[in-house]
Every structure is written in C-alpha cells, then in structure tokens.
C-alpha cells in the first residue's frame, strides 16, 4: 500500500515518535507538562523543549550529589524545588560550555542559552501555575541579553551571478561539473523559487507536484505551525519551474512513497533539507566568500528586496509567514532606518530666495 501522507504529515509522525523517545528518558512527572503543551506548540518545538529539559536534568544529576545514584526517570518534583536562584545562574553559566552525557563538548551562544532557559522556564511556570511546586527560581533569573546580528543577504548583483553560476556551471570544480548537467534545471528551479518567494527550505522540500498552480501563479506551502498558505510567484520562477517539470516528467523508477514530491534527489527520493543546504553553499561559494550564504539567507534576500520595493512591512510579514510583524520589523530594522533618513530632505519648509 502506497504512502498517501503528505510530507508535512510524515514529518509530524516522525517528530511524534522522536518526542516519545525523548520523553522516555525524562522524569515521569513531566507527562502532565507535555500533555498541557500538546496543542499549543508544534511538534518540532516540543522536541526542542524535551532536548533542552534533558540537558537540565542531566545537569541536576551531575551537580547535586543527592541525585548521583538516581535515574533521571525516577526524579520527582522535589528536584525542581531544590533549585535556587543561585543554582539557576550557575546552570546558565554551565550552558556556555559543557560535556553532554554522551561525552560530546557542547558550546552555546547567548541565543542558544536563552532558548534553553526558555524551555526550563516553561516547565517551571506550568508546575507553579498548577500549584504543584511552591517556588519558581527560573522566573527570577535574568535572561541573557541578545546583541543584534548583522543581516546577511545577497545584493542584486550577487543574486544575478548566483543564478548565472547555476545555469553555466563554469565556476564549479571538475568533480561538481560532472553532476551539474544532470541537476542543473532542478537546482535552478529551487534557487529561483526560494529567491523569488522567500519560502523556507522546509517548505520548499515539502512541495508536491499538486501544490503548484500555474493558473494563478502560486504554490501551496505548509507553514510553521502546520497551517497551509498560498505564496505567489513571478515570471522568472514560473519559467524555472516549467523547465524543470519537463525534465521531472521523464524520471522513472521513483522510490515508492516519493512519487508526488516536486524536487527529487539523484536517488529519486524527495530531496532533503540537508541536500538543499549543501547545494546553496556550493553555488554561493562561487559568488562570495565573505558571506556565509544558507537557505535562510536567500529568504532574507527576498524579504529585503520586497521591503525595499514596497516599503510595506505588513506585506513582507504576510508573505514570509511571520505571525508577528515585530519579528519582521526586527530583521529589517536597518533598512527601515535608511528609509527614515531619506525623509530628512523630502519636506522643504522655506523656498530658496530668488
């Protein structure tokens, strides 16, 4: 029987199984917590929370002698109340650099530390609000201050050179050129689509053949959170997709369960996020060595171009699938500042005397 699930449904099933595996390594009392957040957070977010909480309880087992000989699964709620304000600050310091239970050295920047602490806070808040614990030390500590990061994106000339590099393959190594002819139309369609719509890499690889609507020049994507949305594309994207689809129709012996996938790998399976990340880096290196271009940077490139052309931050937020316009404004604040500077000479108070 063929798998009729969509890509997003398959990923969601995998995430559910992964979450169950992680939960089996965590204290039993967390079952009520995960039940409480089940319909609030996406499955991928719940996995991140479970992973972060695993690190937290491994720290307690390592740092507190009382828990040295107790399995994490057998921890009770007392371990949460045993943590103090000082303990929480020491845990944040620990997160900067530590060795995991598997022996791997882990280093976290300020953003990663804040995310891991947010997972711990969420757990503490749940049990504190439900009156299962009387103290909430996680709410007392100050979260790391995040420093602004420069937005890395391609300028218009770099975009043009990137697409030229995909078409010609001239800038690739001899080894890369052997595979270039076979994958050129696919790679060009992927990069043109991402640069021309700003969709996420996960949304790109999740596209099925039926998700393309050439009558209305749009694609149907599954956004973060699982909801569906239509994203519209222009003539350049249309041409790249049509050229690739002519080639795609000739592909035979596609792996069962992957017949509906829009973009296929060389192994005739749905292309993966990792494969797209690799091909983006491969072509981007031929255009610029100063910028670390990833699929997300292509999304930033599109968002920047759209905002520069329209000046409408709400439109950019809607097209990019941001639920909160402040997320969009945060990423494009520098451009907004430049636009505000332009206003200084637009209003003339007094005409020059003749």
């Amino acid at each position: 029987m063929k798998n009729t699930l969509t890509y997003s449904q398959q990923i969601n099933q995998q995430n559910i199984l992964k979450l169950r595996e992680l939960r089996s390594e965590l204290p039993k009392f967390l079952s009520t917590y995960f039940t409480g957040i089940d319909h609030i957070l996406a499955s991928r977010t719940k996995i991140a929370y479970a992973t972060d909480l695993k690190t937290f309880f491994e720290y307690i087992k390592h740092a507190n002698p009382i828990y040295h000989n107790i399995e994490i699964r057998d921890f009770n709620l007392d371990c949460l109340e045993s943590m103090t304000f000082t303990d929480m600050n020491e845990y944040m310091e620990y997160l900067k650099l530590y060795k995991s239970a598997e022996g791997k050295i882990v280093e976290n920047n300020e953003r990663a530390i804040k995310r891991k602490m947010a997972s711990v806070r969420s757990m503490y808040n749940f049990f504190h609000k439900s009156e299962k614990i009387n103290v909430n030390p996680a709410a007392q500590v100050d979260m790391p201050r995040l420093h602004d990061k420069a937005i890395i994106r391609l300028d218009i000339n770099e975009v043009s050179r990137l697409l030229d590099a995909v078409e010609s393959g001239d800038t690739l190594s001899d080894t890369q050129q052997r595979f270039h002819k076979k994958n050129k139309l696919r790679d060009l369609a992927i990069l043109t689509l991402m640069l021309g719509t700003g969709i996420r890499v996960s949304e790109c690889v999740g596209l099925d053949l039926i998700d393309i609507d050439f009558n209305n020049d749009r694609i149907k994507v599954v956004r973060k959170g699982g909801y569906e949305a239509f994203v519209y594309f222009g003539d350049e994207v249309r041409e790249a997709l049509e050229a690739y689809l002519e080639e795609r129709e000739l592909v035979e012996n596609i792996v069962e369960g992957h017949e509906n996938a829009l973009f296929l790998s060389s192994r005739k399976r749905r292309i993966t996020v990792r494969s797209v990340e690799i091909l983006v880096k491969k072509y981007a290196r031929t255009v610029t060595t100063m910028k670390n271009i990833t699929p997300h940077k292509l999304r930033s490139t599109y968002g920047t171009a759209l905002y520069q052309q329209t000046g409408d931050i709400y439109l950019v937020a809607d097209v990019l699938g941001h639920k909160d316009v402040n997320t969009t404004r945060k990423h494009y604040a520098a451009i907004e500042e430049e636009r505000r500077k332009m206003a200084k000479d637009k209003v003339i108070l007094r005409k020059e005397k003749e």
Side-chain angles (χ1 to χ4, degrees):
M1 182 177 178
K2 290 186 177 181
N3 191 343
T4 58
L5 296 177
T6 65
Y7 172 76
S8 61
Q9 289 171 332
Q10 292 176 42
I11 294 298
N12 191 55
Q13 283 191 349
Q14 293 172 18
N15 287 344
I16 290 172
L17 295 176
K18 176 63 177 177
L19 181 60
R20 285 178 184 170
E21 180 184 338
L22 285 167
R23 286 180 57 178
S24 69
E25 302 172 11
L26 294 171
K28 299 182 185 72
F29 66 78
L30 284 180
S31 61
T32 56
Y33 166 68
F34 282 106
T35 300
I37 65 172
D38 187 54
H39 299 293
I40 301 173
L41 302 176
S43 59
R44 186 168 56 180
T45 304
K46 286 181 285 190
I47 287 175
Y49 274 34
T51 303
D52 295 341
L53 292 177
K54 182 172 181 282
T55 300
F56 177 68
F57 288 111
E58 286 173 349
Y59 171 78
I60 291 178
K61 182 176 175 66
H62 168 77
N64 192 332
I66 297 175
Y67 295 97
H68 282 351
N69 298 318
I70 302 176
E71 293 296 323
I72 290 177
R73 282 284 293 163
D74 297 325
F75 283 14
N76 56 41
L77 279 166
D78 291 343
C79 72
L80 298 186
E81 293 200 296
S82 70
M83 294 290 284
T84 65
F85 172 78
T86 301
D87 292 331
M88 282 296 177
N89 278 305
E90 289 177 352
Y91 176 60
M92 287 178 62
E93 174 64 25
Y94 166 82
L95 287 174
K96 291 180 180 178
L97 183 69
Y98 63 92
K99 183 181 289 188
S100 69
E102 295 75 26
K104 180 182 177 182
I105 298 297
V106 181
E107 186 174 4
N108 291 298
N109 59 23
E110 57 195 14
R111 282 176 168 76
I113 293 173
K114 185 172 183 178
R115 191 206 74 204
K116 290 179 181 296
M117 287 303 298
S119 301
V120 174
R121 272 192 172 183
S122 172
M123 174 190 64
Y124 264 95
N125 289 341
F126 174 83
F127 287 112
H128 192 250
K129 285 181 179 179
S130 59
E131 299 182 341
K132 301 294 184 183
I133 57 176
N134 297 315
V135 296
N136 187 357
Q140 298 172 337
V141 297
D142 295 324
M143 296 292 264
R145 181 181 178 184
L146 302 185
H147 296 85
D148 291 335
K149 294 172 62 177
I151 300 174
I152 299 175
R153 51 188 171 253
L154 295 169
D155 61 38
I156 189 168
N157 293 326
E158 290 170 333
V159 169
S160 180
R161 295 206 309 273
L162 176 65
L163 297 178
D164 288 344
V166 181
E167 282 191 316
S168 68
D170 293 341
T171 56
L172 301 177
S173 67
D174 292 341
T175 303
Q176 290 172 335
Q177 285 184 353
R178 294 194 195 109
F179 300 95
H180 175 255
K181 185 176 181 180
K182 181 179 179 180
N183 297 320
K184 180 178 75 172
L185 292 179
R186 182 204 66 186
D187 293 354
L188 186 61
I190 289 174
L191 289 174
T192 304
L193 177 63
M194 296 181 73
L195 284 164
T197 62
I199 60 173
R200 298 177 177 88
V201 62
S202 58
E203 295 166 352
C204 179
V205 303
L207 288 170
D208 286 334
L209 293 168
I210 60 173
D211 292 328
I212 305 178
D213 176 9
F214 284 117
N215 290 325
N216 295 288
D217 287 341
R218 64 184 184 178
I219 53 174
K220 184 175 70 175
V221 298
V222 179
R223 294 293 199 189
K224 286 175 65 175
Y227 71 95
E228 295 180 344
F230 287 109
V231 177
Y232 293 83
F233 53 79
D235 292 340
E236 291 175 293
V237 174
R238 166 189 271 272
E239 291 171 7
L241 287 174
E242 287 178 335
Y244 165 68
L245 283 171
E246 287 183 13
E247 182 179 80
R248 168 72 174 76
E249 290 176 0
L250 303 177
V251 179
E252 299 177 343
N253 301 318
I254 297 172
V255 175
E256 185 175 341
H258 298 258
E259 300 91 343
N260 297 324
L262 172 59
F263 295 116
L264 297 173
S265 70
S266 298
R267 297 182 178 182
K268 299 182 181 181
R269 307 171 66 92
R270 183 185 298 275
I271 197 168
T272 64
V273 168
R274 180 59 181 157
S275 294
V276 175
E277 290 172 345
I278 291 172
L279 78 86
V280 168
K281 285 181 177 290
K282 176 180 71 174
Y283 291 113
R285 285 195 193 103
T286 70
V287 173
T288 174
T289 57
M290 298 293 292
K291 301 175 182 177
N292 179 28
I293 300 301
T294 63
H296 192 74
K297 301 303 186 294
L298 303 186
R299 182 169 159 82
S300 295
T301 298
Y302 172 80
T304 299
L306 182 61
Y307 186 61
Q308 287 175 331
Q309 291 296 318
T310 66
D312 189 340
I313 199 71
Y314 292 94
L315 173 63
V316 177
D318 185 45
V319 173
L320 292 180
H322 290 163
K323 292 183 178 180
D324 185 352
V325 72
N326 289 320
T327 302
T328 317
R329 184 172 285 113
K330 177 179 65 177
H331 285 91
Y332 302 101
I335 304 171
E336 202 163 44
E337 181 68 21
E338 289 299 315
R339 292 181 70 250
R340 284 198 291 269
K341 287 180 181 178
M342 293 170 57
K344 66 185 177 65
D345 297 320
K346 296 301 181 183
V347 177
I348 300 174
L349 302 179
R350 291 192 296 177
K351 292 183 179 180
E352 292 185 8
K353 295 181 180 179
E354 297 181 359

